[in-house]
Amino acid sequence: MAFPANVRSFLLVASLAAAAAATAVDVATRAADPCAIIAGQKWVAPKDLRACFTSVKVDPTIKENIVEVINKTLAFHTSVNYEFRAPEPFTADVHEDLLGDLARISKQSYPSDYDLHIDFSRTLKRLNDGHCVWINACYDSLFLNFLPTPLALLTERDGTQNVHIAPEAFQVASAEFPDQIDVWQNALPGPLKGQLASLSGAKVLQINGQDPFVAVDANALIAGSFQALGTRQNGFFSSYQRSTTGWTYIMGNFAQQSLPLSDSVVLKIVRVNHTLPEVVVLPYRARVGTATVPFTDTASWRANNCVSIDGTNGVNLYATSSAPTSSANIPLVKFKQQPPIPPQTESKHPVNVMLDTAPLSDVVLPPSLTPALPAVNGSRSVSQFYLLNDGKTGVMALGSFSDTDFNTFLLGMLNGLLSLKSLGATQLIVDVSNNGGGFICAAHWLHRIIVGPKSTSVPQAGLDTKARDGPLAMLITDQIVNNNADPDNLLLYNPTNWADANNVFFPPNTNWLQPPVLTTINGRADAFSQRLGEECAPSGFPTAPPATALFDPKKVVVVSNGRCASSCSLFSVTMSKEEGAKTVVIGGKQDVQQQYCGTVGGQSTDFSTIDTEVKSTNLKSNSLAPPDLLVNGVQGITWRLGFGVVDPTQPEEWQPRPATLNLPITSDIVNNPVAIWELVVKKLLS
């Protein structure tokens, strides 16, 4: 239907007025709701994200629920009383009264739910134990806070060390943040505007007006994850890791934050081929997380990202409607420092793996740094095998001790090492940089196939362990043993999973938690299980291991930036302390002792798994049982703790693990795996 001109004019004016009114309402709505301002945006200013986060007040019911879940789950954490005051050399690094601080949090008032979350998170991070953490997907990595200038600690020709913007910084930033580079280019002052590339490699004289290591050490106080100061310092800087699909670049805690802690940074630098200092101010920019569920306002943010979902809590495995969820978006899967693995695989093959408030990095290592050597047969996913140009040094780059298929993963390890030997390799480098752990029996398997059958690898290629023997753990085990509560052997506490100190597996009717081993730790009474031995029965491996050693362990070097944890630590510790393999930490401050691994544990687990044990044994109504969690959170714990090698009466967790070599990082090898491996050969294998 055609309208007269005057009618068309009227309708046009009316529609414009309506649009303007709607826009005004929308602007007013967004102004009244700080979360609406960031809703639907890929990139936001950290201050706007914080405004959204801090706009929600503390709900007393939710606060009480989190405190109760953490407190009651900690009854299963083996290290609570050890971490009250860790033994030397980690006493200065780990001295957290966790139960006392939870009591303080319970009484303390907070201006917002976000401030409460930070206190929860940092309280547990003070344990410097990457197994025992609190993560809330409502906040942690909802957006990631980035700078385009990852840092590196470089050693100069005269032996001095200085913090630098990583030489590859612009390559990384322009590839990863092409839609944001202009923001940073335009933030540079005067003649530097548009010259972000020229900052790569610059020496950093100050960060926010202070020596760079003031910032490094301030981050180390809140980073958590590892006991050793040197390892937490190293996390501030960029590094690399082998992932399932390629080589990834780790931005480091300076250039990537899991919370919007900083709005900008002031850097005093000297650029490459310049002599005069310059000051630049760079804004942080927050990018929405890949697992963040879209939202439009505060209500939908909370509903979509903050409340418990399938997988947050445990299930009764014997209820017909219950089944573990495998979604990659549940917090437990998202924040484990391993590739996602199917729940049924993890239930059959226990893991020892770190949790972190940031998911695994998917930033790509620049092509100029990516190994160009041909990968040999057996390479797959997180495990890649190379022969260096000297024709005698094999390299196993192992980014995780987990993969999607347990048997295929272990066979790949064997085939890769056999391929290296067939090509002439007589010595081996195992690069486990940023390896957060994974399958416990994969660590045992790798140890066993490298060194062959001997007293340190058969029948037990790992560490003896113990579990905490609290009242609820006793009740769970009693239900399994006396009331047949786990006929299909699905639960952790089933005795048939474990062997005694003589490496004899328990029969089904054995209550392996009786009698408890009563212990006093830091003046506090505690109770543990008997000593546990072999956990990886030969029948669980996909094939018989070789009858002889594949490599002389004295010609094996384990390389990392110290950030090797959990099952990675189990492997590294036994290879170093039992077999005499050498260890290398890449980089690190020269006057700080570098530990080649940390957060050893023995077996990690989490609240939802403990909740499954409780529900499947019909103990959820018991007053000792933690309630269902109301928020979209994760509480991790160390469920079993490994005994040491040098002092087998005490946990390995707090025994020293100094590196054979602290390899200085120079500008020509930084974040370049092949160049690092070749230098390791010259230093330790020539």
Side-chain angles (χ1 to χ4, degrees):
M1 177 179 180
F3 293 104
N6 62 332
V7 175
R8 290 200 303 272
S9 177
F10 171 80
L11 292 175
L12 176 61
V13 171
S15 64
L16 290 174
T23 300
V25 170
D26 183 59
V27 169
T29 300
R30 291 169 69 88
D33 185 343
C35 298
I37 294 173
I38 64 169
Q41 304 298 311
K42 180 179 180 181
W43 290 94
V44 301
K47 64 179 179 61
D48 291 335
L49 182 57
R50 263 196 326 277
C52 169
F53 284 177
T54 57
S55 67
V56 177
K57 300 302 180 184
V58 174
D59 182 324
T61 300
I62 290 177
K63 177 183 176 183
E64 181 182 351
N65 172 256
I66 296 173
V67 169
E68 186 177 5
V69 167
I70 294 176
N71 257 318
K72 291 184 173 179
T73 305
L74 286 175
F76 298 85
H77 178 52
T78 51
S79 306
V80 171
N81 289 324
Y82 287 106
E83 289 167 338
F84 181 72
R85 188 178 185 274
E88 293 293 351
F90 299 114
T91 307
D93 299 296
V94 182
H95 46 82
E96 167 62 23
D97 180 4
L98 190 52
L99 300 181
D101 262 335
L102 288 171
R104 171 189 58 78
I105 289 172
S106 186
K107 298 174 183 177
Q108 187 170 323
S109 297
Y110 297 86
S112 73
D113 188 63
Y114 175 60
D115 293 285
L116 170 63
H117 168 66
I118 288 177
D119 201 356
F120 273 129
S121 176
R122 290 186 179 174
T123 293
L124 273 80
K125 281 190 173 185
R126 283 194 293 274
L127 298 173
N128 293 325
D129 177 349
H131 296 148
C132 189
V133 299
W134 168 252
I135 300 171
N136 190 340
C138 185
Y139 301 108
D140 291 312
S141 296
L142 189 82
F143 284 70
L144 288 170
N145 213 26
F146 288 109
L147 281 175
T149 51
L151 301 181
L153 179 62
L154 301 184
T155 299
E156 317 291 354
R157 290 183 178 179
D158 62 3
T160 60
Q161 287 186 302
N162 291 290
V163 174
H164 287 252
I165 295 174
E168 67 280 356
F170 187 74
Q171 277 183 275
V172 172
S174 57
E176 181 65 20
F177 315 124
D179 54 349
Q180 203 66 191
I181 281 291
D182 284 349
V183 173
W184 288 308
Q185 294 275 27
N186 293 328
L188 295 174
L192 281 177
K193 187 173 183 179
Q195 302 298 314
L196 185 62
S198 73
L199 273 57
S200 296
K203 182 188 294 185
V204 179
L205 304 179
Q206 292 183 342
I207 297 175
N208 293 328
Q210 296 180 297
D211 182 274
F213 260 85
V214 173
V216 173
D217 290 338
N219 174 76
L221 289 175
I222 64 172
S225 298
F226 289 89
Q227 297 96 345
L229 171 63
T231 310
R232 285 177 281 121
Q233 288 177 328
N234 294 348
F236 193 74
F237 301 105
S238 57
S239 55
Y240 63 84
Q241 181 181 16
R242 176 65 206 184
S243 72
T244 55
T245 57
W247 287 86
T248 55
Y249 189 86
I250 311 297
M251 297 290 287
N253 296 149
F254 172 73
Q256 177 181 310
Q257 301 173 343
S258 58
L259 292 173
L261 302 177
S262 305
D263 292 320
S264 62
V265 66
V266 181
L267 298 176
K268 187 176 183 180
I269 62 173
V270 176
R271 288 184 291 157
V272 175
N273 298 324
H274 288 68
T275 57
L276 295 178
E278 298 166 291
V279 176
V280 298
V281 180
L282 286 170
Y284 278 87
R285 297 289 293 164
R287 184 173 69 179
V288 68
T290 55
T292 298
V293 181
F295 58 92
T296 57
D297 52 18
T298 299
S300 57
W301 160 49
R302 305 293 292 184
N304 296 349
N305 295 280
C306 302
V307 299
S308 61
I309 60 174
D310 286 346
T312 301
N313 296 296
V315 297
N316 182 345
L317 295 176
Y318 291 98
T320 55
S321 61
S322 297
T325 180
S326 59
S327 170
N329 286 338
I330 68 170
L332 181 59
V333 176
K334 174 183 173 183
F335 294 108
K336 275 184 178 178
Q337 299 301 291
Q338 67 177 14
I341 57 177
Q344 60 271 26
T345 300
E346 188 166 334
S347 67
K348 293 178 182 177
H349 305 287
V351 300
N352 193 32
V353 65
M354 289 259 289
L355 286 162
D356 195 83
T357 51
L360 288 172
S361 174
D362 58 2
V363 179
V364 176
L365 187 69
S368 60
L369 300 175
T370 300
L373 297 168
V376 307
N377 183 45
S379 298
R380 71 179 304 275
S381 185
V382 295
S383 55
Q384 299 290 304
F385 299 88
Y386 307 97
L387 184 69
L388 295 187
N389 290 331
D390 64 5
K392 63 180 181 180
T393 305
V395 175
M396 179 185 191
L398 188 62
S400 174
F401 273 87
S402 281
D403 201 350
T404 51
D405 185 275
F406 178 80
N407 287 340
T408 304
F409 181 42
L410 269 59
L411 288 172
M413 288 182 174
L414 178 58
N415 291 336
L417 294 178
L418 289 172
S419 295
L420 290 175
K421 281 188 66 71
S422 70
L423 292 171
T426 58
Q427 52 197 29
L428 179 68
I429 291 173
V430 184
D431 191 331
V432 288
S433 296
N434 293 298
N435 185 316
F439 296 128
I440 296 167
C441 293
H444 290 214
W445 171 255
L446 184 57
H447 177 186
R448 166 65 179 81
I449 62 177
I450 288 175
V451 307
K454 52 194 300 192
S455 62
T456 52
S457 63
V458 177
Q460 164 76 305
L463 303 176
D464 286 358
T465 60
K466 63 179 179 180
R468 208 170 186 201
D469 201 343
L472 186 54
M474 289 184 183
L475 290 174
I476 293 170
T477 307
D478 184 71
Q479 285 285 86
I480 294 170
V481 171
N482 295 319
N483 295 320
N484 196 29
D486 184 29
D488 298 332
N489 190 16
L490 302 176
L491 301 178
L492 286 176
Y493 282 93
N494 195 303
T496 59
N497 293 324
W498 313 113
D500 63 19
N502 295 315
N503 299 306
V504 177
F505 278 86
F506 296 120
N509 61 348
T510 303
N511 190 329
W512 58 282
L513 291 185
Q514 292 292 342
V517 178
L518 303 179
T519 311
T520 299
I521 304 167
N522 285 317
R524 297 178 168 194
D526 213 330
F528 294 91
S529 71
Q530 61 182 286
R531 193 180 185 103
L532 304 175
E534 178 187 6
E535 58 202 303
C536 302
S539 60
F541 293 130
T543 189
T548 58
L550 295 183
F551 290 91
D552 178 354
K554 302 293 192 298
K555 294 184 178 180
V556 175
V557 181
V558 181
V559 174
S560 78
N561 57 345
R563 300 181 71 80
C564 156
S566 310
S567 288
C568 183
S569 291
L570 296 177
F571 166 75
S572 300
V573 165
T574 53
M575 285 297 297
S576 172
K577 294 187 176 185
E578 293 182 342
E579 312 298 350
K582 299 177 179 68
T583 56
V584 173
V585 170
I586 307 164
K589 202 163 183 277
Q590 291 169 342
D591 59 355
V592 175
Q593 175 66 65
Q594 301 298 317
Q595 306 281 335
Y596 60 80
C597 68
T599 310
V600 181
Q603 181 178 348
S604 62
T605 191
D606 69 289
F607 156 71
S608 68
T609 303
I610 294 298
D611 195 38
T612 291
E613 301 277 313
V614 170
K615 289 175 177 174
S616 299
T617 52
N618 300 307
L619 291 168
K620 188 65 175 180
S621 60
N622 191 287
S623 61
L624 297 171
D628 275 7
L629 191 57
L630 300 178
V631 299
N632 195 11
V634 177
Q635 167 61 40
I637 60 169
T638 300
W639 186 66
R640 285 188 297 126
L641 195 58
F643 286 97
V645 175
V646 175
D647 182 356
T649 68
Q650 297 299 319
E652 177 62 41
E653 193 76 39
W654 298 284
Q655 297 189 33
R657 295 173 289 276
T660 308
L661 173 67
N662 178 201
L663 185 71
I665 292 296
T666 54
S667 59
D668 56 333
I669 69 168
V670 61
N671 293 327
N672 185 327
V674 174
I676 289 169
W677 302 333
E678 290 174 342
L679 187 56
V680 168
V681 171
K682 291 179 182 178
K683 296 282 188 180
L684 294 178
L685 292 174
S686 293

